[in-house]
Amino acid sequence: MGRYACINNNTKEHSSIYVFVKDPQSPFQRSMVNGILVRVGENLTLPCLVTDPDVTPVTLQTCDLQPLPSDLHYHSDPQRGIIIGNARKEYEGCYVCLGELAGATVRSSQYTVDVRLVPEQPPVIRLSQRERVILRRGEQFEITCSSSNLNPDFSIKWDFPVGARAFQAHTSPHPGWFPVVTNAPPPSGSASVNQSRHRDMHRATPTTRKAPPRYPALDVRERGFISMLGDSRPSQSAVREGESLSLRVEFESYPRPGTLSWAYNGKTLHNTTEHVITAQRHRYSFIKR
């Protein structure tokens, strides 16, 4: 059953004929696929093909006998089935084709229609760590990637530095969440997330619109450290008696120092009416006044 064509290879002339194979037990051809997936705005075809050209007319009905959506328009083609134009999300559901043969109503198998929304933008990807991360060799590094999209037609994967030994775990029921925990310390470098999508399910493809890369840099050290920022050489300041003197030192440290203090002539200074001591911290950077 179907269309057969004869083509002249020299002149390219051709002729075709559509062959019906009557099946008294099934006026509609048995379909191998009953789930129909289509994008919003596309034409939708239900392959309810008649096996007998005398089956007329072919109409559309919902499986639960509810009225068709008010703006749903279709036409029937005995060689293609039911064609619905400009698919919309509200067209989702179960449908069956009806016809008449020898005065009796005949029905096709049921078709389930799934209409996917089409994103205009690439999937959103977020990382739990986006800035530089400092660790000592042997410490554990964990990072979580979360992603969201208008439909599930995309996938994401991790890119690791060469030599990294990483364990990936899917711990969330929501699609697109991929935590990663390293069982062994990875080499210094960066971990990034790549996204791939089914091109035919998006209006915006990676070649036309691409989200900017977002990835953290991992800095693995052999041991903890404290490094002065700026000029670390000793400096002198002139001040007159009775005037205030402001001292400031900036440094980077990992892990965080247990205590921070100023000392004068070997003695630790404390906050008093004569000494006002403050400390500021931003991740691994510290400012001591």
Side-chain angles (χ1 to χ4, degrees):
M1 181 170 163
R3 179 165 295 279
Y4 295 81
C6 181
I7 302 175
N8 187 319
N9 292 330
N10 294 325
T11 64
K12 304 303 178 182
E13 292 180 323
H14 66 277
S15 180
S16 65
I17 185 173
Y18 190 90
V19 177
F20 293 91
V21 179
K22 294 184 178 181
D23 183 353
Q25 303 300 320
S26 180
F28 286 93
Q29 186 180 39
R30 294 181 177 88
S31 178
M32 299 293 293
V33 179
N34 295 90
I36 310 298
L37 176 64
V38 66
R39 295 187 304 179
V40 168
E42 291 184 338
N43 290 338
L44 164 64
T45 300
L46 301 181
C48 41
L49 306 178
V50 296
T51 59
D52 190 328
D54 292 332
V55 176
T56 56
V58 177
T59 58
L60 187 65
Q61 185 182 79
T62 60
C63 298
D64 57 5
L65 303 182
Q66 294 296 315
L68 295 174
S70 59
D71 56 352
L72 187 151
H73 301 285
Y74 72 91
H75 67 275
S76 63
D77 184 326
Q79 300 177 19
R80 296 179 59 194
I82 293 286
I83 297 93
I84 301 174
N86 191 23
R88 300 187 179 184
K89 191 67 177 175
E90 53 267 30
Y91 294 176
E92 286 187 333
C94 179
Y95 295 90
V96 64
C97 298
L98 303 179
E100 289 189 4
L101 180 63
T105 299
V106 293
R107 300 167 60 90
S108 71
S109 56
Q110 296 181 350
Y111 296 94
T112 301
V113 174
D114 182 11
V115 182
R116 294 288 177 86
L117 298 175
V118 182
E120 296 287 351
Q121 299 291 338
V124 176
I125 295 179
R126 300 180 183 88
L127 293 176
S128 59
Q129 305 269 13
R130 294 181 57 183
E131 300 182 24
R132 183 173 65 129
V133 177
I134 301 177
L135 293 175
R136 289 175 296 188
R137 182 170 295 277
E139 291 182 327
Q140 180 175 277
F141 172 59
E142 179 175 345
I143 185 172
T144 301
C145 170
S146 62
S147 60
S148 60
N149 194 43
L150 197 60
N151 62 42
D153 299 302
F154 78 109
S155 62
I156 60 178
K157 66 177 183 178
W158 286 99
D159 279 343
F160 301 107
V162 177
R165 299 188 299 276
F167 168 72
Q168 301 188 47
H170 300 239
T171 60
S172 171
H174 303 288
W177 287 73
F178 295 91
V180 169
V181 180
T182 57
N183 291 329
S188 296
S190 62
S192 62
V193 182
N194 286 339
Q195 64 183 21
S196 61
R197 300 166 295 170
H198 301 289
R199 183 180 296 267
D200 60 344
M201 293 303 294
H202 289 77
R203 293 196 183 101
T205 67
T207 57
T208 56
R209 289 183 181 179
K210 189 173 182 180
R214 302 173 181 175
Y215 52 86
L218 180 59
D219 187 356
V220 180
R221 304 294 183 95
E222 290 292 337
R223 59 185 63 87
F225 68 94
I226 294 179
S227 299
M228 301 298 294
L229 301 178
D231 192 351
S232 60
R233 295 175 299 179
S235 61
Q236 293 182 349
S237 299
V239 62
R240 290 181 295 187
E241 185 176 358
E243 291 183 339
S244 297
L245 175 63
S246 178
L247 300 177
R248 171 190 173 112
V249 62
E250 296 185 35
F251 62 94
E252 189 176 60
S253 171
Y254 182 81
R256 179 181 181 179
T259 58
L260 293 173
S261 62
W262 285 100
Y264 176 69
N265 287 338
K267 295 183 178 180
T268 301
L269 302 180
H270 301 281
N271 266 322
T272 65
T273 56
E274 295 182 353
H275 309 112
V276 179
I277 301 174
T278 62
Q280 294 176 299
R281 179 192 179 194
H282 177 67
R283 293 180 64 81
Y284 310 109
S285 298
F286 298 84
I287 300 176
K288 186 69 174 178
R289 291 186 175 91

